[in-house]
Amino acid sequence: MNLEDIRCYCLKKKGVTEDFPFDEETLVFKVMGKMFLLTNINDVEISVNLKCDPELAVELREKYESVQPGYHMNKKMWNTVTYCNEFSEKEFYSMIDHSYDEVVKGLTKKMQLELAAL
């Protein structure tokens, strides 16, 4: 797994764009203009910030050492996940899916309809 794998996975999702809104190192993926994944393109390790249901966020942090409260994010709803041998690639992608779904769930009905129409 590498950053390009994550990038391709995210861009296959409906309504997703990528950009560098903060600096030249922080790649951000958004669905309908709302962030669901952030990563530093210069980090040696694969590490991403993902939105998460608050209860699940705590469960994941307790289960995995490589899942920590979101770096520079709302620690209640964001996790920083470092990809390692602690969980499978499938589970890592599942965390990305959950982040995307959490953001979509928070969109206005109008935006959800626009997304569904894409």
Side-chain angles (χ1 to χ4, degrees):
M1 158 121 21
N2 60 41
L3 184 56
E4 187 60 23
D5 294 332
I6 294 168
R7 183 177 174 271
C8 290
Y9 186 80
C10 289
L11 291 175
K12 288 180 183 174
K13 295 182 167 300
K14 270 188 173 186
V16 171
T17 58
E18 64 179 335
D19 66 355
F20 291 87
F22 305 115
D23 55 41
E24 296 173 0
E25 296 178 347
T26 308
L27 176 59
V28 176
F29 292 91
K30 300 176 181 178
V31 56
M32 303 300 286
K34 304 290 183 181
M35 296 187 302
F36 73 94
L37 186 149
L38 297 87
T39 189
N40 185 315
I41 62 170
N42 294 325
D43 281 351
V44 175
E45 291 182 309
I46 301 287
S47 180
V48 297
N49 280 2
L50 299 170
K51 192 159 189 179
C52 193
D53 171 80
E55 288 181 22
L56 179 59
V58 172
E59 287 177 32
L60 291 172
R61 292 173 200 162
E62 290 173 352
K63 185 175 181 181
Y64 301 115
E65 195 173 305
S66 58
V67 178
Q68 297 294 315
Y71 180 71
H72 284 302
M73 304 297 283
N74 178 332
K75 300 193 181 338
K76 182 179 177 184
M77 295 182 280
W78 287 83
N79 280 337
T80 297
V81 180
T82 302
Y83 182 74
C84 62
N85 295 332
E86 206 174 6
F87 43 78
S88 69
E89 197 171 290
K90 181 180 177 183
E91 192 162 4
F92 184 70
Y93 284 129
S94 177
M95 291 181 208
I96 294 173
D97 293 341
H98 175 73
S99 181
Y100 175 90
D101 293 342
E102 283 294 296
V103 173
V104 169
K105 192 167 62 174
L107 295 174
T108 64
K109 293 293 180 196
K110 180 182 177 186
M111 290 176 83
Q112 288 178 6
L113 290 171
E114 288 174 21
L115 179 62
L118 295 178

